């Protein structure tokens, strides 16, 4: 039986803050300020007084209230910073959603690519045990500390999603590839032990290495991985109805469209402009809104690219 998506539910703030009004923007240097201005992000969504566990719980509750059955597995894609050390954010979500019978665990260390890894792992868990019927995946996007500007990467917005991967679901997961490269594991760090959370600052060890070496690595890998995924499904690029990716900067869409010869669907740019970068939530939001838009129909194929500066890469082919 085909394995695919049961439902996707997203939670986004009503309050949209212009990027120029963020407190840290007036303290930025010339290069950082230009980066923000050129990022393609006009506003970011902001929730007041919430945390990762609470936001993910809300997304899961609202999905379950819409009739999604109790899952066999609850999988949380790790946030940028956990709410607690030694405790378990995902087990908090389990407790607050009343999913006592589900096995709960976190997929972590992959950044934005965590969602793509999670839905592939969900498919594998269902294939491995015929008794399992459903896997619930959730993630919450909040900044690591007080600052939302991540130079030279993006600007962070708030949000959360929950989705189910089920037997007989649509879209169907047709093919998938994912890879990591540990050489970039310490490219970005936050020295959280030496300062309170409101003083946490993300440090990029080498902006040039991010902008050039990692970009070239991503170019080579994603080009090959797209070819492998399409070959597995017996398709060529002309049969791809839409291509989605995570929302980091507007220039990233042009980079990958030129590289792959596949246009990035404008739903991505719209979400980037309005909500900023939502971490591992981006691809789930983009896929949900693409389906709802009516731009794709049953039987169409959608390619989803995802990568992060960890570094991790994923390519997934869905059949609507």
């Amino acid at each position: 039986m085909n394995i695919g998506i049961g439902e996707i539910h997203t939670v986004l703030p009503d309050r949209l803050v212009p990027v120029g009004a963020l407190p840290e923007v007036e303290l930025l240097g010339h290069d950082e300020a230009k980066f923000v201005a050129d990022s393609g992000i006009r506003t970011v969504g902001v929730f007041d007084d919430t945390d990762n566990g609470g936001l993910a719980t809300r997304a899961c509750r609202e999905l379950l209230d819409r009739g999604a059955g109790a899952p066999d597995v609850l999988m949380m894609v790790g946030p940028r910073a956990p709410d607690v050390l030694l405790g378990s954010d995902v087990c908090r979500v389990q407790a607050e959603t009343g999913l006592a019978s589900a096995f709960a665990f976190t997929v972590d260390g992959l950044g934005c690519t965590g969602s793509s890894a999670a839905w592939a792992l969900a498919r594998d868990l269902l294939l491995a045990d015929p008794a399992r019927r459903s896997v619930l995946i959730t993630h919450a996007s909040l900044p690591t500390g007080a600052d939302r500007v991540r130079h030279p990467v993006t600007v962070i917005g708030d949000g959360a999603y929950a989705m189910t991967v089920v037997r007989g679901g649509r879209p169907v997961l047709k093919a998938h590839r994912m890879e990591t490269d540990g050489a970039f594991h310490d490219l970005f760090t936050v020295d959280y032990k030496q300062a309170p959370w409101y003083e946490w600052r993300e440090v990029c060890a080498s902006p040039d290495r991010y902008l050039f070496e990692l970009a070239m690595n991503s170019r080579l890998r994603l080009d090959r991985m797209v070819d492998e995924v399409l070959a597995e499904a017996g398709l060529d690029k002309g049969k791809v109805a839409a291509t989605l990716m995570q929302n980091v900067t507007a220039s990233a869409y042009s980079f990958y469209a030129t590289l792959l010869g596949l246009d990035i669907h404008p739903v991505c740019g719209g979400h980037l402009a309005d909500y900023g970068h939502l971490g591992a939530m981006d691809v789930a939001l983009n896929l949900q809104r693409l389906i709802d838009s009516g731009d794709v129909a049953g039987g169409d194929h959608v390619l989803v690219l995802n990568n992060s500066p960890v570094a991790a890469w994923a390519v997934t082919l869905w059949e609507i």
Side-chain angles (χ1 to χ4, degrees):
M1 183 181 292
N2 290 329
I3 293 174
I5 295 173
E7 192 170 359
I8 302 174
H9 176 67
T10 57
V11 177
L12 291 165
D14 293 325
R15 185 161 73 97
L16 300 180
V17 177
V19 170
L22 294 174
E24 67 266 31
V25 169
E26 64 181 21
L27 303 176
L28 297 176
H30 176 271
D31 290 346
E32 291 85 355
K34 186 176 186 306
F35 163 76
V36 172
D38 294 344
S39 66
I41 302 171
R42 295 191 302 262
T43 58
V44 291
V46 175
F47 281 118
D48 295 319
D49 301 323
T50 190
D51 56 13
N52 296 294
L55 203 50
T57 295
R58 175 182 166 184
C60 290
R61 280 177 174 167
E62 292 178 1
L63 178 65
L64 294 169
D65 286 346
R66 289 164 57 169
D72 302 290
V73 178
L74 170 63
M75 195 185 310
M76 187 173 188
V77 180
R80 295 179 181 86
D83 292 336
V84 294
L85 297 177
L86 296 183
S88 173
D89 292 348
V90 68
C91 286
R92 172 191 168 187
V93 175
Q94 179 187 32
E96 294 184 357
T97 52
L99 297 175
S101 63
F103 178 73
F105 68 98
T106 298
V107 176
D108 203 4
L110 298 174
C112 313
T113 313
S115 284
S116 297
W119 60 43
L121 180 57
R123 178 193 60 175
D124 291 348
L125 289 170
L126 295 178
L127 288 173
D129 185 349
R132 296 189 184 109
R133 306 300 303 174
S134 173
V135 177
L136 175 57
I137 302 169
T138 189
H139 172 74
S141 170
L142 293 169
T144 303
D147 292 349
R148 294 179 178 274
V149 176
R150 292 185 62 200
H151 178 262
V153 185
T154 191
V155 184
I156 301 299
D158 297 348
Y161 81 90
M163 65 179 285
T164 52
V165 176
V166 300
R167 300 181 186 278
R170 285 276 177 179
V172 176
L173 201 164
K174 298 294 290 185
H176 179 83
R177 291 288 186 280
M178 55 187 175
E179 298 180 3
T180 58
D181 185 345
F184 296 93
H185 75 278
D186 58 353
L187 186 57
F188 292 87
T189 57
V190 176
D191 187 4
Y192 73 95
K193 291 185 177 181
Q194 303 302 317
W197 73 269
Y198 50 82
E199 293 181 2
W200 289 356
R201 298 292 183 270
E202 182 174 313
V203 176
C204 179
S206 172
D208 286 345
R209 192 169 183 228
Y210 170 76
L211 293 168
F212 298 105
E213 183 179 349
L214 182 58
M216 181 57 68
N217 202 320
S218 296
R219 175 180 179 177
L220 295 173
R221 286 181 187 258
L222 286 175
D223 189 29
R224 171 177 51 78
M225 292 167 70
V226 165
D227 288 344
E228 291 174 353
V229 163
L230 293 178
E232 180 179 332
L235 300 176
D236 57 36
K237 291 180 180 178
K239 296 296 184 180
V240 176
T243 302
L244 305 173
M245 59 178 290
Q246 82 277 18
N247 308 327
V248 181
T249 61
S251 61
Y253 303 136
S254 300
F255 176 83
Y256 287 109
T258 301
L259 162 68
L260 301 172
L262 293 165
D263 291 335
I264 306 301
H265 194 278
V267 71
C268 301
H271 291 149
L272 175 73
D274 292 343
Y275 298 109
H277 175 51
L278 302 175
M281 177 179 173
D282 280 341
V283 290
L285 173 64
N286 291 342
L287 183 57
Q288 176 208 31
R289 295 290 177 85
L290 173 68
I291 295 169
D292 293 345
S293 73
D295 285 354
V296 289
D300 284 346
H301 289 89
V302 175
L303 200 61
V304 179
L305 317 177
N306 210 350
N307 66 308
S308 69
V310 172
W313 300 266
V315 177
T316 311
L317 183 69
W318 296 95
E319 182 183 305
I320 304 300

